[in-house]
Amino acid sequence: MPKLTLAEKLEILADGAKYDVSCASSGSSRRNKGGIGNGAQCGICHSWTADGRCVSLLKILLTNACIYDCAYCVNRRSNDTRRVILTPAEVAELTIGFYRRNAIEGLFLSTGVVKDPDHTMELLIEATRILREEHRFNGYIHVKVVPGADLLLVERLGRLADRVSVNMELPSRESLKLLAPDKSREAIVAPMKRVGELIVQTKEERKVSRKIPPFAPAGQSTQLIIGASGESDLQIVSLAAGLYGRLAMKRVYYSAFIPVNIDSRLPSVIGTPPLVREHRLYQADWLMRYYGFAAGELLDEERPNLDLTLDPKAGWALRNLHIFPLEVNRAPLELLLRVPGIGVRSAQRIAGARRGGHLSLDDLARLGVVMKRARYFVTARGRFAADLAPDAAGLRARLTERTTPRPRWNQPSLFDAAAAIDIQSTITGEL
Ligand code: SF4
């Protein structure tokens, strides 16, 4: 490998890490125990680029060299790119340097696979150990687990990091075989399962004794690439539901396929990547995690893909008009959550406020309800706010209308005031 300065290595390795979106830093409660840094939620500064990707952490690769040859990856073995590797001490030095300059709040460390999965994991563990034990760094650390590594190494890493993640990348065994033939489904799922078990087990043990060291206190996450292979949204959403339900997954991230290689196994993406689809999947994911929706309520075999022109909650409401309008003074919380325009916070506010007396339509806007959408689906004290009785075709037209025309394939942006999807929704998929 060529002799490069640390800054030159950093430039190459940070560039190689930019396609990994699974780096959000929420959920850690690591306390400062006399060292530097603080991984508690208030100590983490989230920052998002205009395309919605997190930039608050030092996000780098240990190395962009890789023995594998995944079709979609910029770092694959067959690409003729400059390869560099950091030593574990260099990773620690860079992290501490950025932290002291107040440029970052934590580290997101991913890697290519050098030599073999176990060797690579040992390097990742050593970098994390140096940060924790030698620099006494208490800030947030998220480290990638290398599929195929020994499960004991996975356990060692989870004792040091706040979050660990194994990237699933491809939603089915078939697409994995086609596009990432060096990796197997088993090699990916085994560490996920072990991490899930250790998270649950450690939480129980720490209820008995706080001396038991935490294991990945910010949980595990994974990433799925959207559009590199032919899976339907139903397959993707069902997979995510299984990961949340069975493997104690904290977050599934969806990453629109960005073509970086010419490869006959990959689809040709004309124009921009499938960013609207990515956003709809985040919305569906949000509905499953916070609104009590099951995957089968959002999609089914007859309708296997999300509607790109309508958010999935509004889509569900239009297919279930028989339950609307709901009287907000009587409807149970779980049904209020299904009303377009009523979010988790506004549903809870309604449930609390109506204990003190019957709510009127005017009260709803004050409680945070987006009446522009909700008025077609609710009554208050028997009054209906819309000029239109619920009718699927008419409602669909109104719910998809935008105040300002936008290009069809525009990525929802934090900085676009005219965007009909609000900022929170842009970042998270929240509805
Ligand atoms: S294993 Fe990871 S780094 Fe290596 S080619 Fe595949 S996706 Fe890229």
Side-chain angles (χ1 to χ4, degrees):
M1 296 208 184
K3 273 265 180 225
L4 295 170
T5 64
L6 199 50
E8 287 168 330
K9 285 184 181 181
L10 177 65
E11 194 179 331
I12 294 167
L13 294 171
D15 198 52
K18 71 184 178 190
Y19 298 101
D20 199 319
V21 298
S22 58
C23 64
S25 55
S26 58
S28 174
S29 56
R30 179 181 296 281
R31 290 175 190 281
N32 189 332
K33 291 173 278 193
I36 62 169
N38 190 336
Q41 279 183 20
C42 58
I44 296 292
C45 170
H46 290 98
S47 174
W48 301 83
T49 61
D51 65 354
R53 287 162 212 274
C54 175
V55 293
S56 63
L57 310 173
L58 173 60
K59 183 177 173 184
I60 50 167
L61 298 173
L62 177 84
T63 177
N64 66 343
C66 193
I67 57 171
Y68 295 161
D69 205 40
C70 305
Y72 48 83
C73 178
V74 70
N75 302 313
R76 65 180 183 173
R77 180 182 68 222
S78 56
N79 279 4
D80 182 18
T81 51
R82 211 155 46 145
R83 308 288 179 169
V84 293
I85 183 165
L86 294 170
T87 64
E90 284 175 326
V91 172
E93 184 190 327
L94 277 169
T95 308
I96 292 297
F98 275 99
Y99 189 86
R100 285 194 202 281
R101 291 199 296 279
N102 213 17
I104 54 149
E105 291 295 321
L107 170 69
F108 172 78
L109 182 61
S110 186
T111 188
V113 185
V114 272
K115 207 163 140 192
D116 59 52
D118 285 353
H119 175 72
T120 314
M121 277 289 281
E122 278 163 6
L123 295 175
L124 294 172
I125 291 167
E126 180 59 5
T128 316
R129 187 201 66 75
I130 293 172
L131 274 167
R132 291 286 191 233
E133 294 179 6
E134 296 181 18
H135 293 285
R136 304 189 71 201
F137 180 71
N138 288 307
Y140 180 86
I141 301 179
H142 175 173
V143 188
K144 278 292 150 81
V145 168
V146 182
D150 191 297
L151 297 182
L152 285 173
L153 294 172
V154 175
E155 178 165 0
R156 272 175 56 200
L157 184 64
R159 298 282 174 207
L160 293 163
D162 292 278
R163 175 172 288 186
V164 293
S165 53
V166 193
N167 273 2
M168 190 161 251
E169 307 282 25
L170 296 162
S172 72
R173 197 181 287 274
E174 294 71 35
S175 50
L176 195 65
K177 201 168 166 192
L178 177 70
L179 300 178
D182 302 304
K183 295 194 264 191
S184 71
R185 181 82 158 197
E186 288 68 30
I188 293 169
V189 173
M192 276 182 176
K193 271 191 184 157
R194 186 62 188 141
V195 169
E197 285 164 7
L198 284 166
I199 288 173
V200 173
Q201 181 188 317
T202 307
K203 270 189 191 153
E204 288 305 310
E205 288 171 352
R206 281 173 60 80
K207 283 182 193 162
V208 179
S209 169
R210 301 300 284 177
K211 288 185 183 153
I212 306 284
F215 181 88
Q220 68 165 326
S221 59
T222 191
Q223 168 177 289
L224 294 170
I225 300 174
I226 304 308
S229 47
E231 290 80 10
S232 66
D233 292 341
L234 173 61
Q235 284 172 282
I236 293 167
V237 167
S238 303
L239 173 63
L243 293 172
Y244 287 127
R246 290 196 293 276
L247 297 183
M249 191 66 64
K250 182 96 173 185
R251 280 298 301 271
V252 176
Y253 292 88
Y254 307 92
S255 176
F257 169 59
I258 299 170
V260 291
N261 299 323
I262 296 169
D263 192 307
S264 59
R265 293 169 293 173
L266 293 169
S268 50
V269 174
I270 297 162
T272 50
L275 295 167
V276 177
R277 184 182 177 200
E278 176 194 279
H279 183 66
R280 292 287 179 235
L281 283 164
Y282 272 116
Q283 290 179 318
D285 188 281
W286 190 275
L287 292 178
M288 292 195 295
R289 287 187 298 134
Y290 297 111
Y291 286 72
F293 281 84
E297 292 180 284
L298 300 172
L299 293 161
D300 54 39
E301 294 296 341
E302 283 174 21
R303 232 175 0 87
N305 290 306
L306 292 164
D307 187 336
L308 297 181
T309 62
L310 193 68
D311 73 70
K313 188 177 177 189
W316 180 87
L318 293 189
R319 293 192 300 280
N320 291 277
L321 280 178
H322 59 279
I323 71 161
F324 298 110
L326 291 176
E327 168 55 48
V328 291
N329 288 296
R330 286 194 303 272
L333 182 65
E334 56 272 22
L335 279 183
L336 286 177
L337 284 170
R338 297 195 166 216
V339 175
I342 297 184
V344 173
R345 277 164 294 208
S346 48
Q348 286 167 344
R349 283 189 206 120
I350 289 170
R354 69 188 178 184
R355 283 189 214 118
H358 278 187
L359 302 176
S360 68
L361 288 170
D362 291 340
D363 292 328
L364 296 183
R366 282 196 286 276
L367 293 170
V369 174
V370 181
M371 287 304 289
K372 188 180 168 200
R373 297 172 78 74
R375 63 183 166 165
Y376 304 111
F377 301 97
V378 294
T379 59
R381 296 183 190 163
R383 280 192 57 216
F384 187 58
D387 57 347
L388 177 81
D391 154 76
L395 276 179
R396 187 183 170 81
R398 295 206 178 190
L399 291 170
T400 51
E401 74 189 1
R402 293 185 183 280
T403 47
T404 307
R406 293 197 302 140
R408 192 165 166 236
W409 294 108
N410 207 7
Q411 165 73 18
S413 167
L414 292 178
F415 310 108
D416 176 4
I421 304 165
D422 69 17
I423 287 173
Q424 184 78 2
S425 176
T426 299
I427 297 170
T428 61
E430 179 178 0
L431 285 161

